[in-house]
Amino acid sequence: MSEFILELKKVSRYFGSVIALKDIDMQVKLGEVHCLLGDNGAGKSTLIKTLAGVHQPSAGEFLLDGEATVFSSPKDALDRGIATVYQDLALVNLMSVTRNFFMGREITKKWGPINVFDTQKANDIAREGLAQMGIDVRDPEHSIGTMSGGERQCLAIARAIHFGAKVLILDEPTAALGVKQSANVLKVVARARARGLAVILITHNVHHAYPVADRFTLLNRGKSLGTWEKSEISREKILEMMAGGQELADLEAELAEFSRLDQQQAS
């Protein structure tokens, strides 16, 4: 058995002449939160879609539990234990909490000659699954539209865990949330890690990522800037690298030169 549940070796992804990812190395262990950081256009979305079976690598090797793997579809990845919670959450507002929890994987019971949705059993499972994530649902038959944004995120995570996820990929889970709701979601992430799952947390918010992450991988324009344990890199250093410290310094120098030339022309 490999030390890593998931491993990328020199993985690249091309779309025609466009290089979306180039020579990405990444390792993820069970029981850790691995934070994937990068600004818009860094390649985060392409990378998680490659992990989730939406795209196949154009080059390089993808290993799952030490074995070379190629997913034929997102369902294939899900069946192998890789669950992705995207920003849109794939929830239906007019459906109940329970119906959203089991959507596509309904449990049934016999009612005469036909199979019907086992509402009572499903309600109990949904309530318990959410309670384990710290969410108290008074009536799981209420519409999911009555839940807050943070609670919906927690439901999507609890659903993935209940159906056997070993690797949980979270795409910007706190992007549209306030401080309190973000804190609740990050607590759920910590609970998922405590249950032995591998969590890949995609974000551009270092302040949300740093408290819960064990390791960090930084992407920039489709390339990896490196991977660090939390003990090896400070929050301030990550912020500087994401902001492009040298690029900002060059920009400041260029703007200062423009200002000097304008002053000369004015005089």
Side-chain angles (χ1 to χ4, degrees):
M1 175 125 3
S2 172
E3 177 186 2
F4 305 108
I5 181 67
L6 185 152
E7 190 170 5
L8 302 182
K9 294 183 177 181
K10 301 297 180 187
V11 164
S12 299
R13 174 65 190 180
Y14 312 131
F15 296 97
S17 60
V18 176
I19 302 174
L21 297 173
K22 182 64 175 176
D23 294 335
I24 301 296
D25 291 318
M26 184 177 176
Q27 297 85 31
V28 182
K29 298 178 181 179
L30 290 173
E32 80 165 6
V33 177
H34 193 124
C35 186
L36 186 64
L37 292 159
D39 208 345
N40 293 334
K44 302 190 302 296
S45 294
T46 302
L47 180 54
I48 64 172
K49 287 179 179 178
T50 301
L51 296 175
V54 177
H55 303 314
Q56 294 183 358
S58 303
E61 196 172 21
F62 180 4
L63 287 82
L64 185 63
D65 230 355
E67 297 183 0
T69 301
V70 177
F71 294 135
S72 59
S73 67
K75 183 180 183 304
D76 191 12
L78 188 60
D79 290 343
R80 297 287 301 276
I82 298 180
T84 304
V85 178
Y86 293 102
Q87 289 188 57
D88 64 9
L89 299 181
L91 301 175
V92 181
N93 285 339
L94 296 179
M95 288 172 56
S96 70
V97 171
T98 296
R99 284 285 185 173
N100 274 281
F101 194 94
F102 284 94
M103 187 164 48
R105 298 191 178 192
E106 288 78 7
I107 54 176
T108 60
K109 63 180 180 180
K110 281 287 186 182
W111 190 70
I114 62 173
N115 291 323
V116 296
F117 185 57
D118 191 339
T119 303
Q120 185 57 56
K121 184 176 180 180
N123 283 343
D124 292 342
I125 293 173
R127 184 186 288 110
E128 175 62 22
L130 285 164
Q132 290 176 3
M133 295 294 105
I135 303 298
D136 180 23
V137 177
R138 292 187 298 274
D139 186 353
E141 292 196 49
H142 281 174
S143 165
I144 201 171
T146 63
M147 301 180 80
S148 69
E151 288 172 335
R152 295 183 196 194
Q153 281 281 354
C154 294
L155 185 149
I157 294 170
R159 179 176 64 185
I161 293 172
H162 175 76
F163 287 109
K166 294 184 291 184
V167 180
L168 186 61
I169 303 173
L170 304 179
D171 182 18
E172 300 279 5
T174 62
L177 304 181
V179 175
K180 185 175 180 180
Q181 291 185 356
S182 295
N184 289 338
V185 171
L186 294 175
K187 287 177 186 176
V188 170
V189 171
R191 287 191 179 100
R193 172 179 57 194
R195 291 168 67 104
L197 275 70
V199 180
I200 301 175
L201 177 63
I202 294 89
T203 184
H204 59 264
N205 192 319
V206 179
H207 298 293
H208 288 175
Y210 201 82
V212 297
D214 300 296
R215 287 198 290 170
F216 303 88
T217 293
L218 269 66
L219 294 183
N220 187 354
R221 297 178 182 176
K223 295 182 180 180
S224 173
L225 299 180
T227 297
W228 297 268
E229 301 277 350
K230 182 185 279 189
S231 60
E232 299 173 333
I233 192 166
S234 67
R235 188 192 316 238
E236 291 69 27
K237 182 62 177 178
I238 295 173
L239 285 166
E240 180 186 348
M241 293 177 69
M242 285 187 64
Q246 185 58 50
E247 292 180 16
L248 288 176
D250 292 343
L251 177 60
E252 287 179 3
E254 189 174 349
L255 291 174
E257 179 63 17
F258 285 153
S259 178
R260 185 184 66 82
L261 292 173
D262 286 344
Q263 290 175 358
Q264 287 181 349
Q265 291 175 357
S267 61

